[in-house]
Amino acid sequence: MTLRTKLLLAQIPLGLALILVCVFSVTTLFSLGSHSQTILKDNYRSVLAAQRMKDALERIEDQLALGVFTAKREEAFADAAQYRQQFEAELAVQESNITEPGEGEVTTRLRALWGRYQEQGAALLTRREAAEAHAFYFAELEPTLQKVRAAADEILVQNQDAIVHKSERVRRTAEQMSTLMIAAASGSLIVGLWLSILLTNRFLRPLSVLRQTTQQLGEGDFTVRAHVHGTDELAHLARDFNAMASRLTEYRNSSLGELLQAQQASQAAIDSLPDPVVVFGIAGDVRTVNRVAETLLGLSVEPETAREPLGKLDPHVRTTLERLRTHILSGKGAYAPKGFEEAIRMSSSDGDHYLLARATPVYEPRGGIVGATIVLQDVTRLRRFDELKSDLVATVAHEFRTPLTSLRMAIHLCLEQVVGSLTEKQMDLLSAAREDCERLQAMVDDLLDLSLIEADRMTRKIEQ
């Protein structure tokens, strides 16, 4: 089964939920529509028939009254026969559309009253005298007509009430259906979504296995394998990944792997040095640095710093590295510093550091230069010892000057015989002592001048 098929299968529960919601919605709509059709079919036809029967009764009553109280009896009775047929047709419709409890009894009574009314109407035609016709109309025909009208009104009210009750029932049913449809739709969607998420997570779990395995492989664990079963694309990818891991293991165990281990060993050796080390390529790019250089100088061989590897360095450090790199790559040979005055001062969190740079070329087997290695030796302590030495020399020379001056003055006074006469032998000894004092004075003066010159040179170097 392919991954595409599995993902499609994961969406089936959600699709089934949508289909269920659609089917339930359509069923609900059809149910509500059937209720409306029931109202129209069952009750509206009876209401219409009852109303038409009442209209026909009105016309019949008008024609009979016209025939009784005027001379147009024959024409009026003929017109009334037409409305009687209309009433008869609507009554037949009502008899075939009995839908409500008690409606059949009322319709049967209406049929009986209507039959009596027709008989009385026929009897009215036999009354030729006006007075007799009037009396018969008001005594017999009019009460029967009112009963027929009352029966028709009762049928009308029954069906109108039924329409109202059924409409209310349909409204309640619609509300219940709406609530039920919302609940069913929400439940179906939630269940479908949950099943879809569950199946999707299950089908995509091999991706998590592959991610973890890839991460472990990237960390150097070449024995890791992705255990994914199946025949889909992820299973094929896992098998290809395992084959790649096996080839990498073989590669690591081969001569190339040994070369890689040698490179890692050389990098570890460079990292073990306590001083910053920077190795440049023939094009002037930074090939490698040790950890001290990364920590102290902020150098890096990451791709984002490949264009300007020295861009973030201290200006003094960058100038020194560029100068030594140019010196080596131009074929001038190794570079050794001339003294502590070339040391570079760098400020860090643990105080100032003085770095003394020296550079050596990197040769290929045939003797060509392929790079430059620059070591920035930390001479902070040595420089402090040198400063202490200079200070000591200056202090000793300064302290020698005062007693030496007194000694010279005493010898000079003795030679001038200010304190008394001297023998020839004493004169020779004092002259030799004065010459030694003069040499010692010259030496003290030279030491003081040397201390001053060195202090001035160091001051100018620091200012630069």
Side-chain angles (χ1 to χ4, degrees):
M1 185 182 298
T2 63
L3 180 62
R4 177 186 178 90
T5 304
K6 288 184 176 181
L7 292 177
L8 291 176
L9 289 176
Q11 305 307 316
I12 287 179
L14 189 59
L16 291 176
L18 293 176
I19 293 174
L20 181 62
V21 170
C22 293
V23 171
F24 187 78
S25 301
V26 172
T27 304
T28 302
L29 292 176
F30 273 116
S31 177
L32 294 176
S34 63
H35 279 79
S36 301
Q37 292 294 329
T38 300
I39 294 174
L40 293 176
K41 179 181 179 181
D42 294 345
N43 301 107
Y44 180 74
R45 189 65 186 89
S46 295
V47 169
L48 187 62
Q51 188 63 45
R52 288 176 178 176
M53 285 189 290
K54 289 179 63 177
D55 293 340
L57 286 176
E58 295 291 339
R59 301 295 185 274
I60 293 172
E61 185 178 10
D62 292 340
Q63 295 300 325
L64 290 179
L66 182 64
V68 171
F69 298 103
T70 64
K72 300 179 180 180
R73 175 179 294 184
E74 299 297 333
E75 296 178 1
F77 286 173
D79 292 337
Q82 177 183 356
Y83 294 116
R84 283 198 299 271
Q85 293 177 358
Q86 181 179 353
F87 185 92
E88 185 68 29
E90 296 300 330
L91 181 57
V93 171
Q94 172 58 29
E95 288 175 340
S96 63
N97 194 42
I98 305 299
T99 58
E100 301 302 322
E103 186 178 2
E105 291 79 0
V106 178
T107 303
T108 302
R109 187 170 71 252
L110 177 61
R111 167 60 72 179
L113 292 173
W114 171 247
R116 186 191 304 174
Y117 182 78
Q118 286 185 318
E119 292 175 356
Q120 291 176 352
L124 180 63
L125 292 176
T126 60
R127 304 296 193 272
R128 296 300 181 180
E129 298 294 333
E132 185 180 2
H134 291 171
F136 184 80
Y137 178 81
F138 287 108
E140 300 292 339
L141 196 61
E142 183 66 21
T144 303
L145 183 62
Q146 294 300 328
K147 292 179 180 180
V148 173
R149 184 181 289 110
D153 284 337
E154 188 173 352
I155 292 174
L156 178 62
V157 171
Q158 280 184 343
N159 283 275
Q160 286 178 341
D161 291 341
I163 288 176
V164 172
H165 293 319
K166 288 181 179 180
S167 298
E168 183 64 22
R169 189 163 59 251
V170 169
R171 185 187 65 79
R172 289 195 302 269
T173 302
E175 291 178 354
Q176 294 175 356
M177 291 285 189
S178 299
T179 304
L180 185 60
M181 185 170 63
I182 292 173
S186 301
S188 300
L189 290 176
I190 291 173
V191 172
L193 185 61
W194 177 73
L195 290 176
S196 296
I197 293 174
L198 184 64
L199 291 175
T200 302
N201 292 335
R202 182 177 180 181
F203 292 150
L204 297 182
R205 190 176 296 119
L207 285 178
S208 177
V209 175
L210 285 172
R211 182 186 64 80
Q212 295 176 0
T213 308
T214 304
Q215 183 178 3
Q216 295 178 8
L217 182 65
E219 293 174 353
D221 185 6
F222 291 91
T223 61
V224 68
R225 295 294 182 268
H227 301 286
V228 178
H229 304 285
T231 58
D232 58 357
E233 291 85 349
L234 292 179
H236 289 295
L237 180 61
R239 286 193 287 271
D240 293 340
F241 177 84
N242 293 334
M244 180 191 67
S246 300
R247 287 194 293 269
L248 286 176
T249 303
E250 296 175 358
Y251 167 77
R252 189 175 186 182
N253 296 328
S254 65
S255 59
L256 293 178
E258 295 177 358
L259 179 61
L260 179 61
Q261 291 179 357
Q263 181 181 1
Q264 293 176 350
S266 63
Q267 181 65 41
I270 295 175
D271 288 338
S272 65
L273 295 176
D275 299 320
V277 178
V278 183
V279 179
F280 290 95
I282 189 63
D285 55 322
V286 177
R287 290 295 180 86
T288 183
V289 296
N290 64 349
R291 293 180 180 175
V292 180
E294 292 179 351
T295 304
L296 187 61
L297 304 181
L299 272 175
S300 176
V301 292
E302 296 296 330
E304 57 267 17
T305 61
R307 293 185 177 180
E308 291 293 337
L310 307 180
K312 297 182 179 180
L313 293 182
D314 182 87
H316 298 297
V317 178
R318 182 172 65 251
T319 302
T320 302
L321 291 179
E322 290 176 349
R323 178 169 56 83
L324 268 61
R325 179 185 62 184
T326 305
H327 178 88
I328 297 298
L329 297 181
S330 61
K332 295 180 181 180
Y335 179 85
K338 298 179 178 61
F340 289 120
E341 64 274 7
E342 294 187 15
I344 309 167
R345 186 177 67 177
M346 284 195 61
S347 299
S348 63
S349 59
D350 56 348
D352 292 341
H353 289 268
Y354 291 90
L355 304 177
L356 194 59
R358 64 177 63 246
T360 56
V362 179
Y363 296 101
E364 63 177 349
R366 292 177 295 179
I369 298 176
V370 295
T373 301
I374 299 177
V375 179
L376 299 174
Q377 183 181 3
D378 191 348
V379 295
T380 305
R381 295 183 63 187
L382 296 176
R383 190 177 183 279
R384 289 175 182 172
F385 290 151
D386 186 67
E387 291 177 353
L388 290 174
K389 179 201 68 175
S390 300
D391 292 341
L392 179 60
V393 171
T395 302
V396 170
H398 187 272
E399 293 296 328
F400 276 177
R401 173 175 286 186
T402 300
L404 186 59
T405 301
S406 300
L407 183 59
R408 288 175 62 202
M409 181 62 66
I411 294 173
H412 177 72
L413 291 175
C414 290
L415 286 174
E416 294 296 328
Q417 298 182 6
V418 174
V419 294
S421 59
L422 299 174
T423 64
E424 184 178 356
K425 186 65 173 178
Q426 290 175 338
M427 291 288 290
D428 292 338
L429 291 174
L430 289 175
S431 297
R434 184 170 62 179
E435 290 177 1
D436 291 337
C437 286
E438 291 296 337
R439 285 196 300 271
L440 187 58
Q441 180 67 41
M443 187 182 300
V444 169
D445 290 339
D446 291 340
L447 288 175
L448 288 174
D449 292 338
L450 182 61
S451 298
L452 291 174
I453 291 171
E454 188 173 357
D456 182 64
R457 183 177 59 185
M458 294 300 295
T459 302
R460 288 199 303 269
K461 182 66 177 178
I462 292 173
E463 291 176 353
Q464 291 176 356

